[in-house]
Amino acid sequence: MTDGAATTTDSHGDVPDDYGTLYVVGIGPGLPAHMTQRAKEVIQTADCVVASNLYQEFLRDDDTLPPEDSDEGPEVVRSSMGQQVELTREAFERVRAGEDVAHVSGGDPNVYGKSDLVFTMADADDATDVPIEIVPGVTAALGGAAMMGAPLSNDFCTISLSDKWRGWDEIEEKLRAAAISNFVIVLYNCWRNYTRAIDIVREERADDVPVGIFNDAGRGEAGRNLDDETFSITTLGDAKSHDEDVGGMGTSILIGTHETEPWSNDYETYLVTPRGGRDVDDF
C-alpha cells in the first residue's frame, strides 16, 4: 500500500462520468433475513455480479437474483478461491467500461473477506482510478452470538486459525495475548488446528469458562455442514471432546471469560458476558 504519513480528508476525487463502481458486498450468512437492504439493492441493480455457486443459490432462492435460465437481471460470473485475482482484474476493466460490479462476499467483506484483496490488487495493477465501495454484512461472530444470547456484550476479538497467510507462531501469539487480556475470543476457520488453539488458551484461562460451538449461524436448514444451524455449550476444559460439533467451514468457536455465564429460561440455555455491573441498578 501507499507509504507515508496518514492524512485525513473530507473530499473525494471526481469519478469519470463513464465509469461504474466496484462494490464488495457482504451478504452475511446469505439468507434474506440477515442481508442488509443496501446489499440487496446493489446486487439487484449491478451490471455484473461475481459470486460463488453457493451464494448464487442463496441469492436466487430469495429473488435477489432472477432464476438461472432468465434473460433478466445482471450478468452473473462464478467465482472460486483460485480465480480471485483474475476476477478482480476483470472487475477493474468492467468498471472502467461503465459497469457496476458487485463482488459478493459471505459474512462481512472486512472480516476475513474479499475487501483487502480488492485494495491490494488496485495498488498492484495501478487501478487506483477504479471507484470502490464496501457494503457491510453480518459476520459469523455476530450471527453466532445472536444464536447464543449475549456473549459479546463486553470486549471481544476474532482470530482466524487459518495458517495460509499467517504462520502458526503468530496465531499462537495472538491467542495467548487475547486469553491473557480477558477478551471473549471467537475462532474462525476452526477446521484448522482448533484443538491446538484450545490447548493454548487453556494455559491462560480456567477450564470452567464457558465455550460455545456454533454452525451455519443464520442459515437455518440451508447450511453446508449440518442439517440445520446449531450451537452447543460446553467448557474450555471439555471443548476438545466435541469433534462431532465442529462441522467444517461453517463452524466457529466462542471462548468466554471468567465473567461469561450460562443463562437459562424455560426453553434454552444461552451464554451471557456482562458489560459491566451484574445488577440492574448498575445499568
Side-chain angles (χ1 to χ4, degrees):
M1 293 300 207
T2 304
D3 295 328
T7 59
T8 301
T9 178
D10 293 325
S11 62
H12 300 275
D14 293 330
V15 176
D17 292 338
D18 56 349
Y19 272 37
T21 298
L22 174 54
Y23 299 94
V24 188
V25 185
I27 62 170
L31 302 187
H34 297 288
M35 185 163 57
T36 68
Q37 185 64 33
R38 174 63 175 161
K40 189 178 183 77
E41 289 173 353
V42 166
I43 292 169
Q44 288 180 323
T45 60
D47 298 292
C48 175
V49 173
V50 181
S52 69
N53 286 342
L54 177 68
Y55 297 145
Q56 287 183 39
E57 179 182 338
F58 288 157
L59 294 169
R60 295 189 197 281
D61 283 348
D62 82 312
D63 297 326
T64 299
L65 287 176
E68 191 169 2
D69 58 358
S70 173
D71 293 330
E72 300 178 354
E75 177 185 355
V76 180
V77 176
R78 176 183 175 273
S79 69
S80 66
M81 289 297 292
Q83 293 180 299
Q84 297 301 319
V85 170
E86 293 81 2
L87 289 172
T88 302
R89 286 198 174 111
E90 180 182 339
F92 293 157
E93 294 309 311
R94 285 177 176 269
V95 169
R96 287 172 172 142
E99 294 186 25
D100 288 330
V101 179
H103 204 317
V104 171
S105 176
D108 182 278
N110 271 298
V111 185
Y112 315 118
K114 295 183 173 70
S115 58
D116 68 316
L117 171 65
V118 170
F119 289 105
T120 301
M121 287 292 300
D123 241 9
D125 284 22
D126 195 23
T128 55
D129 59 314
V130 174
I132 300 170
E133 180 180 330
I134 308 299
V135 181
V138 177
T139 187
L142 301 182
M147 290 169 61
M148 291 187 290
L152 300 184
S153 295
N154 209 328
D155 297 331
F156 71 94
C157 68
T158 63
I159 298 176
S160 171
L161 300 185
S162 173
D163 55 5
K164 183 175 182 180
W165 291 285
R166 305 286 182 178
W168 183 257
D169 287 346
E170 181 178 342
I171 295 171
E172 179 176 343
E173 184 179 355
K174 291 177 179 178
L175 286 165
R176 198 175 304 280
I180 292 171
S181 300
N182 210 33
F183 286 108
V184 174
I185 305 168
V186 183
L187 302 178
Y188 280 61
N189 297 312
C190 290
W191 74 93
R192 299 173 184 252
N193 295 316
Y194 95 90
T195 58
R196 191 174 178 182
I198 294 294
D199 284 339
I200 292 168
V201 177
R202 287 181 68 189
E203 294 176 13
E204 311 295 345
R205 195 164 288 186
D207 276 351
D208 62 352
V209 302
V211 167
I213 303 171
F214 58 93
N215 288 278
D216 293 319
R219 284 187 172 157
E221 297 180 355
R224 289 174 290 184
N225 303 304
L226 301 173
D227 292 334
D228 198 349
E229 61 182 19
T230 62
F231 75 91
S232 56
I233 293 176
T234 181
T235 62
L236 186 60
D238 196 42
K240 288 169 55 178
S241 66
H242 287 257
D243 279 347
E244 72 279 4
D245 294 323
V246 182
M249 291 184 68
T251 304
S252 294
I253 297 174
L254 184 148
I255 304 173
T257 71
H258 69 281
E259 293 185 318
T260 306
E261 295 181 348
W263 182 95
S264 299
N265 59 14
D266 294 342
Y267 317 103
E268 186 64 86
T269 298
Y270 300 94
L271 290 181
V272 176
T273 304
R275 182 175 179 182
R278 293 177 177 272
D279 297 322
V280 173
D281 291 342
D282 293 324
F283 285 88

